[in-house]
Amino acid sequence: KKVLVLSLEMSREQVVQRLLCAEARVDSHRVRTGYLEPKDWPRLTNAAGRLAEAPIFIDDTAGLTVLEARAKARRMKAEHGLDLVLIDYIQLMRGRGSMENRQQEISEISRALKAMAKELRVPVVGLSQLSRAVETRPTREHRPQLSDLRECVTGETLAVLADGRRVPIRELVGTAPEVLAVSPDGKIVTAKSEKVWLVGVRPVFSLRLASGRVVRATERHRFLAARGWETVNKLSVGDRVAIARRLPEPAFPDSWPDLRVALLGQLIGDGSYLNHQPLRYTTSSEENSRIVAEAAREEFGCEVKRYAGRGSWHQLLISGNGNRWHPDKLNGWLRQLGVFGERSYQKRVPEAVFRLSNRQIALLLRHLWATDGTIVPRANGRGSHRVSYSTNSPCLASDVAALLLRLGIVARISSAKKGNYRPGFFVAVSGAPDQRCFLEAVGAFGPRAPQAERLQALLSRRTNTNVDTLPVEDEELYARANSDLFWDRIVAIEPDGEEEVFDLTVPGPACWLADGIVSHNSGALEQDADLIIFLYRPERYKEQSEIPPDQQNLAEVIVGKQRNGPTDTVRLTFIPQYASFENRVESDRQPY
């Protein structure tokens, strides 16, 4: 077979010397020092004759680029034919000079090598240095694995799917969902992911943003920063990272009756749907009370009774929902949505809501705001206008911010704690453009309607001095101003223990949205390769006295990934004096 060896690390003389010693089975140290034994000479001459006739071409050009490697391979195929390309090793290759960082450059190199293999129709074997993090693991865990090629996020991280849902990544293991990603020009797009993996237990860091969003990831996981893709350990407080400015509506959204959407918004805010207790709704608003009673009766056929409370407050008792053994009507619907039994600090927006159209999401937010929302116009020119939602459920606050993102509103989440009470969480819509967008898209219902009208009148007095404008000639600034990305500020990066971490890869965009935060693929080499083989020598991590005789010089060839076939482990013998791997005797082979 005709083989091209692109050796970026060793000179061609060193490569040939290793080939010669392995083929002749002569100690390489004796060859280098010149202290040869009589029996070595005939072995070397015979091996040299065989190698001289072998169609092996060695190029030791240093700092080779992918384009240069492809040109050399094309030329060899045209002049001599080509059956195999070996590259030693990928991290020493160079990509395009315009790449923002080395990780991005390696990603480009791996994709280019796959394209070269496809074009020339020959296998391309790229050697790669594994992360030194393998050596820091306990002795029993030194065996390399695919997860060593990835950097990852924790299991509660929400992957934003193309159908609108936000699903914890741990629940996606073994699937290949369609997710939201970011194109090179900063647009939110849909993309098909590859399989989602459980990587294992790793040290993680918590990265908190000024908007209140939090993501937990390993130290070398990458996020999109103002200067390009950066790992967590290279980011600092004050740096900016990209989050989605808006999330697209699903291509085929679900549709519910509007009364059901309104009822759910009201119940999440002021309803009680606990186990073993009657289903209740408490309010001081006649408009809110009327829409809840109407929806419960018309949509579910429930009985609604009103009970007076203090002042204008009153309670609606919604009955006729079956029992704990046979839940029915509204009770059954809330159970189907997966929210029945949640206490106030546990409440969430059901996952199914995120599959609705933007119009119905705005409708749900309108009724949710009518319960615990606030719309306060600025008084007498002092202070700022306030549009916010308060809750003691951190999950609900995160869900509300995500729903607002569907409408192009980047909200901020903050928290406050008083005494021994549970902390309160606030989702604030700040700035005139976002508040104006909120009033136009969401609007107001019931007790919030009068304040919304006053705020709408104040915000309609727009000014445009034409002072703060972008130069037309600056294409990069223009592209950033028109992208789908919002540049959020990092306020804290802290170690956060050890935890199981997960990852997914997205061919093409090579990124995905972690609850709106732009997160990179981790393993570019792993993603692009059709076959991944690890070489593992256990004795490298053990004392000589700990190695049983039958395991001395043991080497394992671990087939970690094979796109078109099985994975397995093959045991070989490593002969250090020849730098050669050879078959072990049959009696030493053990099934894996």
Side-chain angles (χ1 to χ4, degrees):
K1 299 293 183 180
K2 301 174 180 65
V3 179
L4 172 62
V5 179
L6 300 175
S7 178
L8 286 78
E9 183 177 31
M10 294 192 296
S11 68
R12 52 191 173 187
E13 290 81 9
Q14 290 175 303
V15 175
V16 169
Q17 186 183 90
R18 290 204 174 190
L19 287 172
L20 185 63
C21 294
E23 185 71 14
R25 299 182 65 82
V26 173
D27 192 320
S28 57
H29 179 71
R30 295 208 301 266
V31 173
R32 286 196 302 272
T33 58
Y35 291 100
L36 295 172
E37 298 178 359
K39 64 180 181 181
D40 294 334
W41 288 106
R43 292 180 178 177
L44 287 171
T45 54
N46 289 335
R50 292 194 296 273
L51 285 174
E53 297 175 0
I56 300 174
F57 296 77
I58 301 172
D59 187 302
D60 60 357
T61 304
L64 207 62
T65 67
V66 175
L67 290 177
E68 290 169 341
R70 180 180 285 190
K72 292 176 183 294
R74 282 175 178 165
R75 181 176 178 182
M76 177 170 167
K77 184 167 186 177
E79 296 181 357
H80 307 282
L82 184 62
D83 297 304
L84 175 68
V85 178
L86 295 170
I87 301 174
D88 183 16
Y89 58 93
I90 288 176
Q91 279 84 354
L92 293 178
M93 295 191 79
R94 291 187 293 114
R96 290 186 289 113
S98 60
M99 289 291 100
E100 295 171 333
N101 56 44
R102 185 56 177 163
Q103 289 92 346
Q104 196 168 350
E105 192 174 10
I106 292 294
S107 298
E108 185 204 34
I109 289 170
S110 68
R111 290 193 298 270
L113 292 180
K114 187 173 182 68
M116 182 172 80
K118 185 176 181 181
E119 176 194 347
L120 300 178
R121 302 183 66 82
V122 298
V124 175
V125 178
L127 278 68
S128 174
Q129 288 239 8
L130 200 60
S131 168
R132 295 293 183 186
V134 177
E135 300 180 358
T136 66
R137 295 203 297 253
T139 303
R140 296 179 183 177
E141 300 176 10
H142 283 312
R143 180 175 279 101
Q145 49 196 323
L146 286 176
S147 62
D148 294 320
L149 301 176
R150 311 184 198 119
E151 296 298 331
C152 332
V153 295
T154 52
E156 80 278 3
T157 305
L158 298 172
V160 184
L161 306 189
D163 64 6
R165 292 178 300 148
R166 299 150 64 243
V167 181
I169 193 171
R170 67 162 61 90
E171 296 180 13
L172 298 173
V173 170
T175 67
E178 192 171 11
V179 299
L180 294 185
V182 177
S183 66
D185 59 353
K187 299 297 183 183
I188 305 296
V189 297
T190 60
K192 182 71 173 176
S193 70
E194 290 191 339
K195 190 174 180 180
V196 183
W197 298 273
L198 164 62
V199 174
V201 176
R202 297 274 191 92
V204 297
F205 288 76
S206 177
L207 189 147
R208 186 157 48 90
L209 306 181
S211 66
R213 290 166 174 80
V214 178
V215 64
R216 300 169 67 233
T218 52
E219 66 173 346
R220 293 187 62 81
H221 191 78
R222 285 174 282 166
F223 296 97
L224 183 57
R227 55 185 177 270
W229 293 105
E230 292 285 353
T231 56
V232 171
N233 60 359
K234 296 290 180 63
L235 292 169
S236 304
V237 171
D239 287 346
R240 301 271 179 167
V241 295
I243 67 174
R245 187 183 297 275
R246 64 171 62 248
L247 296 178
E249 186 178 45
F252 304 99
D254 290 348
S255 179
W256 296 354
D258 282 355
L259 274 179
R260 288 200 179 200
V261 177
L263 176 61
L264 181 62
Q266 294 281 346
L267 289 178
I268 291 175
D270 284 338
S272 173
Y273 32 86
L274 299 177
N275 288 310
H276 314 310
Q277 293 188 24
L279 207 157
R280 295 168 294 181
Y281 176 80
T282 305
T283 185
S284 63
S285 165
E286 291 298 331
E287 295 95 332
N288 288 356
S289 179
R290 190 161 42 249
I291 194 74
V292 169
E294 179 186 354
R297 291 186 182 113
E298 292 193 12
E299 285 297 317
F300 297 99
C302 297
E303 299 176 17
V304 181
K305 294 182 180 180
R306 176 169 173 158
Y307 295 90
R310 292 182 180 178
S312 62
W313 288 89
H314 60 275
Q315 188 176 93
L316 300 181
L317 182 65
I318 306 172
S319 57
N321 294 292
N323 53 46
R324 71 182 71 173
W325 299 282
H326 302 287
D328 194 14
K329 300 181 180 178
L330 182 54
N331 183 319
W333 185 56
L334 293 175
R335 290 177 185 273
Q336 179 185 343
L337 293 175
V339 297
F340 191 85
E342 292 178 341
R343 296 188 175 274
S344 60
Y345 62 90
Q346 300 170 322
K347 284 188 174 181
R348 297 209 66 157
V349 174
E351 183 182 290
V353 166
F354 290 87
R355 303 180 71 159
L356 298 177
S357 66
N358 286 357
R359 184 190 69 81
Q360 291 204 312
I361 279 179
L363 176 62
L364 183 135
L365 286 171
R366 186 181 313 148
H367 286 273
L368 189 63
W369 233 265
T371 60
D372 293 320
T374 300
I375 300 177
V376 181
R378 180 175 55 208
N380 301 322
R382 294 193 299 269
S384 302
H385 304 309
R386 278 180 33 215
V387 177
S388 63
Y389 182 81
S390 59
T391 175
N392 62 356
S393 168
C395 294
L396 180 56
S398 174
D399 291 343
V400 171
L403 289 175
L404 289 169
L405 211 54
R406 282 280 297 274
L407 306 177
I409 299 171
V410 180
R412 292 177 177 267
I413 304 172
S414 59
S415 63
K417 194 175 189 303
K418 184 178 180 180
N420 294 325
Y421 294 98
R422 294 184 184 277
F425 297 87
F426 307 91
V427 183
V429 179
S430 56
D434 277 351
Q435 289 178 350
R436 192 179 296 116
C437 178
F438 178 90
L439 293 176
E440 293 172 355
V442 177
F445 178 84
R448 306 292 170 253
Q451 297 97 317
E453 289 179 7
R454 291 200 297 272
L455 180 57
Q456 182 80 57
L458 291 171
L459 292 176
S460 64
R461 303 169 188 171
R462 303 186 185 185
T463 59
N464 185 4
T465 63
N466 289 323
V467 173
D468 184 17
T469 59
L470 288 172
V472 177
E473 298 82 4
D474 196 323
E475 295 183 2
E476 182 179 352
L477 284 177
Y478 181 82
R480 290 208 173 196
N482 287 275
S483 77
D484 291 337
L485 302 180
F486 177 94
W487 296 94
D488 209 346
R489 180 170 52 87
I490 298 174
V491 296
I493 302 176
E494 300 167 340
D496 203 6
E498 293 189 355
E499 197 168 321
E500 282 189 337
V501 290
F502 301 76
D503 196 36
L504 60 82
T505 54
V506 184
C511 64
W512 53 286
L513 295 185
D515 201 16
I517 302 173
V518 184
S519 171
H520 198 277
N521 275 358
S522 57
L525 293 175
E526 175 203 16
Q527 175 184 322
D528 295 323
D530 290 321
L531 178 69
I532 294 176
I533 295 175
F534 297 104
L535 294 180
Y536 172 57
R537 292 171 55 204
E539 65 182 358
R540 295 279 295 179
Y541 306 101
K542 296 180 181 179
E543 298 292 338
Q544 192 66 29
S545 59
E546 298 177 359
I547 305 173
D550 63 334
Q551 293 190 14
Q552 291 185 359
N553 293 333
L554 171 65
E556 294 181 1
V557 177
I558 303 169
V559 182
K561 170 187 176 181
Q562 186 173 182
R563 202 180 297 274
N564 300 309
T567 59
D568 204 349
T569 298
V570 180
R571 293 156 60 94
L572 299 177
T573 296
F574 177 69
I575 313 297
Q577 58 269 37
Y578 311 145
S580 175
F581 294 88
E582 301 185 1
N583 291 334
R584 289 181 78 80
V585 296
E586 193 67 31
S587 60
D588 281 347
R589 291 189 181 173
Q590 298 179 11
Y592 272 72

